[in-house]
């Protein structure tokens, strides 16, 4: 935007700083969120993230110089780091196992909707002939942050966190509330399983990162959580998200058309994501979509690289049909991402850890996500400028390796309660039932609940 460039200059160093300071803030926000989640709980941590978001958004939209803008970007990044780690964690801990994929997958859905809004607001505001062309888009982020800050006050605390801090009666009330009236038997069974497992885990809980590699099962959990987050960055999706217009120029789409195409591109992913989380994720599981997604990226980036290599934009022999096919590959990559890594990465990273290490483990996984996000954001423009189509081959190789690793080493977690993850990863925890649990179980047995009889 001309007014933005006139206000802050168009130097590449400033543009790079705007991106990198935000991503750096995200990393440190996620890093601090691990401690906040254990200390204050998921609900209050989300509210703290909202306060940072409002603060950072206000500084950015009201910035009068580059320093204020960059500080606002750092604060806004801290907010996103906190929220990107805590929201999936909170959703994971309140969701029933049969619908956990849908509820946690909504994280990616909302990200996609935000991406759509950002694209079209940016496209529309470029026609405003004043500083409002950039202040308005930056200021609009205050709206969702304010809504979340107020709205989450009406939602319950995570029952698993309440059990961790010995607020057992509140935890039980939340579990019953989440199940609703008429489901008291199922609520009692879930609460007992939750209570016994979390209290057993509490005996070995520490605040040290060494907890995440203290046993083979824990190390495997960490490998899966960090792996899925890092592999998500290796899909190359953020190269398209950040540098889509640059990629479109290499395919012959320039000017306002590139922003228009980017806006249309942004709407494709959320549509596919919504279909996937509603109809497929909790049926087909986590592992198969990841293997499918990585394999599809090998194909789409191979075809994209071939098209860019054989149809340079400045050549009179360039084939427009082939260039359109290249754009189609970019759109297809977005669709495949929304059917695989997009929603699954948030679900898997937050559900594999036991309660006593969930905040810490999710923090490490999210920090790795933002660290690799920052690295790729810095490397991508250099790679596309220096080696052109060959840069896309990097993602062909990375996704091929990811596909093999996921197929061999990742377990399937579909339909398991968070407490049953101990069995999936081979943990051995001695559970001491509550003193009054026998009476509750007897009532369930009288109702003919087969699951309790097996217990």
């Amino acid at each position: 935007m001309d007014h933005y460039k006139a206000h802050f200059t168009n130097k590449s160093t400033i543009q790079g700083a705007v991106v990198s300071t935000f991503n750096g803030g995200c990393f440190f926000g996620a890093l601090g969120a691990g401690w906040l989640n254990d200390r204050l709980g998921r609900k209050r941590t989300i509210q703290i993230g909202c306060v940072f978001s409002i603060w950072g958004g206000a500084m950015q939209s009201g910035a009068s110089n580059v320093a204020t803008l960059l500080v606002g970007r750092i604060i806004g990044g801290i907010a996103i780091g906190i929220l990107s780690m805590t929201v999936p964690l909170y959703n994971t801990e309140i969701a029933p196992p049969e619908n956990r994929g849908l509820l946690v997958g909504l994280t990616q859905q909302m990200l996609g909707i935000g991406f759509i809004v950002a694209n079209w607001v940016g496209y529309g505001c470029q026609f405003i002939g004043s500083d409002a062309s950039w202040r308005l888009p930056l200021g609009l982020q205050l709206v969702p942050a304010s809504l979340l800050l107020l709205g989450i006050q009406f939602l319950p605390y995570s029952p698993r966190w309440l059990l961790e801090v010995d607020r057992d009666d509140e935890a039980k009330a939340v579990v019953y509330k989440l199940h609703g009236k008429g489901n008291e038997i199922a609520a009692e069974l879930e609460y007992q399983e939750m209570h016994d497992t979390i209290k057993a885990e509490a005996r070995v809980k520490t605040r040290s990162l060494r907890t995440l590699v203290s046993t083979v099962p824990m190390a495997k959990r960490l490998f899966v959580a960090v792996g899925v987050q890092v592999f998500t960055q290796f899909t190359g999706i953020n190269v398209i998200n950040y540098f889509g217009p640059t990629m479109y120029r290499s395919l012959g789409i320039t000017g306002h058309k590139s922003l228009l195409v980017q806006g249309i591109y942004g709407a494709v992913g959320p549509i596919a994501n919504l279909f996937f989380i509603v109809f497929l994720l909790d049926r087909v599981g986590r592992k198969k979509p990841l293997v499918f997604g990585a394999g599809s990226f090998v194909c789409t980036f191979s075809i994209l690289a071939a098209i860019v290599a054989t149809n340079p934009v400045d050549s009179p022999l360039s084939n427009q049909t082939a260039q359109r096919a290249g754009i189609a590959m970019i759109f297809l990559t977005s669709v495949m991402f929304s059917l695989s890594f997009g929603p699954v990465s948030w679900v898997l990273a937050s559900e594999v850890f036991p309660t006593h290490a969930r905040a810490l483990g999710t923090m490490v996984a999210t920090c790795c996500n933002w660290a690799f996000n920052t690295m790729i954001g810095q490397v991508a423009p250099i790679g596309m400028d220096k080696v052109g189509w060959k840069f896309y081959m990097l993602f062909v190789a990375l996704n091929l390796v990811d596909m093999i690793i996921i197929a061999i080493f990742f377990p399937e977690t579909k339909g398991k309660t968070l407490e049953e993850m101990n069995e999936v990863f081979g943990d051995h925890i001695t559970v001491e039932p509550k003193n009054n649990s026998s009476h509750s179980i007897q009532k369930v047995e009288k109702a003919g609940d087969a699951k309790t009889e097996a217990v």
Side-chain angles (χ1 to χ4, degrees), residues 373-414:
N373 187 316
T374 303
M375 181 194 72
I376 290 176
Q378 294 296 310
V379 169
I382 300 172
M384 288 188 289
D385 180 57
K386 298 296 184 181
V387 298
W389 64 269
K390 296 176 184 176
F391 181 68
Y392 299 139
M393 295 304 296
L394 171 65
F395 296 102
V396 174
L398 288 174
N399 280 290
L400 181 60
V401 173
D402 297 348
M403 181 177 66
I404 295 171
I405 291 174
I406 293 168
I408 296 175
F409 297 108
F410 277 35
E412 181 54 69
T413 59
K414 176 189 69 172

Side-chain angles (χ1 to χ4, degrees), residues 12-235:
S12 58
T13 52
I14 299 299
Q15 292 179 346
V18 168
V19 174
S20 60
T21 51
F22 179 79
N23 286 340
C26 291
F27 176 86
F28 287 105
L31 191 64
W35 180 84
L36 287 172
N37 272 281
D38 279 336
R39 182 85 174 183
L40 304 177
R42 298 19 169 170
K43 181 175 172 178
R44 296 302 180 215
T45 302
I46 290 174
Q47 290 181 313
I48 290 172
C50 292
V51 171
F52 272 95
S53 183
I54 293 169
W55 179 15
M59 289 192 68
Q60 292 171 61
S61 61
S64 58
N65 52 57
V66 172
T68 305
L69 177 68
L70 294 181
V71 172
R73 293 289 288 175
I74 293 171
I75 295 171
I78 290 172
I80 298 304
I82 293 172
L83 295 172
S84 66
M85 181 224 149
T86 309
V87 171
L89 180 63
Y90 176 77
N91 288 347
T92 295
E93 293 190 339
I94 65 170
E98 63 272 13
N99 294 320
R100 191 167 59 240
L102 168 62
L103 295 178
V104 183
L106 286 172
T107 301
Q108 183 64 30
Q109 185 65 27
M110 295 301 105
L111 289 174
I113 292 174
F115 191 66
I116 293 174
V117 173
N119 278 333
W120 287 106
V121 167
Y123 178 75
C125 287
Q126 69 180 321
F127 300 108
I128 299 176
S130 67
D131 280 352
S133 62
W134 61 270
R135 292 190 188 276
L136 176 59
L138 292 174
L140 283 177
Q141 59 189 309
L142 275 67
V143 176
S146 300
L147 291 174
L148 181 58
L149 174 64
L150 297 175
I152 198 170
Q153 184 63 31
F154 300 97
L155 298 180
Y157 287 97
S158 162
R160 290 174 168 87
W161 177 76
L162 290 172
L163 283 170
E164 271 199 288
V165 295
D166 296 323
R167 291 161 62 176
D168 296 9
D169 291 340
E170 292 179 65
K172 186 171 185 177
V174 170
V175 172
Y176 272 69
K177 183 178 180 180
L178 291 173
H179 276 269
K181 293 182 179 180
N183 295 304
E184 288 79 6
I185 294 175
E188 181 63 30
L189 281 172
E190 181 179 8
Y191 174 72
Q192 287 179 20
E193 179 185 31
M194 195 184 297
H195 175 279
D196 295 344
T197 302
I198 290 173
K199 296 302 181 181
E201 290 172 351
R203 293 197 297 269
V204 297
K205 180 176 181 177
T206 67
R207 302 284 181 182
S208 171
L209 288 173
R210 285 179 294 181
T211 302
L212 300 177
V213 292
S214 59
T215 64
V216 173
M218 283 297 295
K220 186 174 181 180
R221 293 173 192 260
L222 182 65
F223 172 74
V224 170
V226 170
V228 74
Q229 291 288 337
V230 173
F231 295 166
T232 298
Q233 297 303 319
F234 287 169
T235 63

Side-chain angles (χ1 to χ4, degrees), residues 207-403:
R207 302 284 181 182
S208 171
L209 288 173
R210 285 179 294 181
T211 302
L212 300 177
V213 292
S214 59
T215 64
V216 173
M218 283 297 295
K220 186 174 181 180
R221 293 173 192 260
L222 182 65
F223 172 74
V224 170
V226 170
V228 74
Q229 291 288 337
V230 173
F231 295 166
T232 298
Q233 297 303 319
F234 287 169
T235 63
I237 193 67
N238 280 330
V239 174
I240 301 175
N241 291 342
Y242 294 157
F243 305 103
T246 302
M247 297 176 71
Y248 296 135
R249 281 196 295 273
S250 71
L251 294 167
I253 305 295
T254 58
H256 292 319
K257 288 185 178 180
S258 67
L259 290 177
L260 181 61
V261 171
Q262 184 76 348
I264 298 171
Y265 160 85
V268 171
I271 295 172
N273 184 84
L274 183 61
F275 171 81
F276 179 67
I277 63 175
V278 171
F279 297 107
L280 296 177
L281 180 53
D282 286 309
R283 296 183 181 181
V284 301
R286 300 10 171 180
K287 184 173 180 176
K288 291 178 181 177
L290 292 176
V291 173
F292 168 76
S296 68
F297 300 138
V298 171
C299 298
T300 57
F301 275 102
S302 296
I303 296 171
L304 183 60
I307 291 172
V308 175
T310 56
N311 294 273
V313 68
D314 55 351
S315 172
L317 301 178
S318 295
N319 188 320
Q320 289 189 348
T321 302
Q323 290 177 336
R324 293 192 186 99
I327 295 173
M329 288 301 104
I330 293 176
F331 276 59
L332 185 59
T333 298
S334 176
V335 171
M336 294 299 103
F337 180 79
S338 297
L339 297 177
S340 56
F341 284 86
V344 174
S345 61
W346 298 112
V347 177
L348 192 58
S350 58
E351 71 182 3
V352 297
F353 292 103
T355 302
H356 75 274
R358 188 169 296 122
L360 191 65
T362 306
M363 176 202 77
V364 172
T366 308
C367 284
C368 289
N369 179 304
W370 287 112
F372 278 86
N373 187 316
T374 303
M375 181 194 72
I376 290 176
Q378 294 296 310
V379 169
I382 300 172
M384 288 188 289
D385 180 57
K386 298 296 184 181
V387 298
W389 64 269
K390 296 176 184 176
F391 181 68
Y392 299 139
M393 295 304 296
L394 171 65
F395 296 102
V396 174
L398 288 174
N399 280 290
L400 181 60
V401 173
D402 297 348
M403 181 177 66

